Amino acid sequence: MRLTWLGHATVLFEADDQRIITDPALTRRLAHLERRVPEPADEVVSAIDTILLSHVHLDHLHGPSLRRLGSAHVVVPEGARRLVPSAASAVSEVRAGDRPSSGSGPGSVTVDVVPADHSSRRGPHSRIDAQPVGYVIRSAGPSVYFAGDTGLF
């Protein structure tokens, strides 16, 4: 498995011919956050198979960054489907205990959805409420835990 940190909570996982990206923040500026290194080049973020989103806060579920990734399969916490741009090839809503599909065949990557402890609201004036999740990404080699913003606060 190859991991490439692209800034904030955005990590590109490459294993068994699968390209998975987490909580994409791919623009120069995102609300109060400003990128201190160049945005990832198009060739780095092209041909993404699966996008894993941990929770609905703007800095983790960001429409312009999702649109930049095109037609990948998007995995979101249950209740967040309507926030995903229409370019996605498929959208799966998940909760802890689920295993969304990612790849196929022997040796393919599996993703297990695990609980996360974080705010479930999009913002103070939003009606969107989706329980945050984390992900355990498993390949033939190592496994990786992606926590999003989980933790006590």
Side-chain angles (χ1 to χ4, degrees):
M1 182 181 290
R2 180 177 168 189
L3 307 175
T4 305
W5 179 67
L6 301 176
H8 198 50
T10 309
V11 177
L12 175 63
F13 298 86
E14 297 174 281
D16 297 336
D17 296 327
Q18 290 291 302
R19 301 186 83 229
I20 299 171
I21 197 168
T22 59
D23 292 353
L26 303 173
T27 57
R28 185 186 66 73
R29 187 170 187 89
L30 196 159
H32 64 285
L33 302 173
E34 188 169 349
R35 195 175 265 287
R36 298 204 183 261
V37 296
E39 296 172 34
D42 287 338
E43 56 270 10
V44 173
V45 295
S46 66
I48 298 296
D49 298 297
T50 305
I51 302 167
L52 301 176
L53 299 170
S54 63
H55 64 287
V56 296
H57 290 166
L58 177 65
D59 60 329
H60 292 260
L61 199 164
H62 183 238
S65 294
L66 290 173
R67 282 189 284 281
R68 184 171 173 201
L69 295 173
S71 65
H73 174 212
V74 181
V75 179
V76 296
E78 189 173 57
R81 177 186 302 267
R82 65 183 170 175
L83 294 173
V84 177
S86 60
S89 65
V91 179
S92 298
E93 288 190 315
V94 296
R95 63 179 124 179
D98 288 347
R99 180 177 274 178
S101 65
S102 178
S104 59
S108 67
V109 175
T110 61
V111 176
D112 292 312
V113 183
V114 297
D117 183 13
H118 195 57
S119 169
S120 62
R121 302 297 303 256
R122 176 87 164 156
H125 306 291
S126 174
R127 293 182 183 178
I128 300 212
D129 191 12
Q131 186 60 47
V133 296
Y135 299 96
V136 177
I137 303 164
R138 302 177 198 278
S139 68
S143 297
V144 176
Y145 169 49
F146 175 70
D149 277 350
T150 195
L152 299 175
F153 58 94

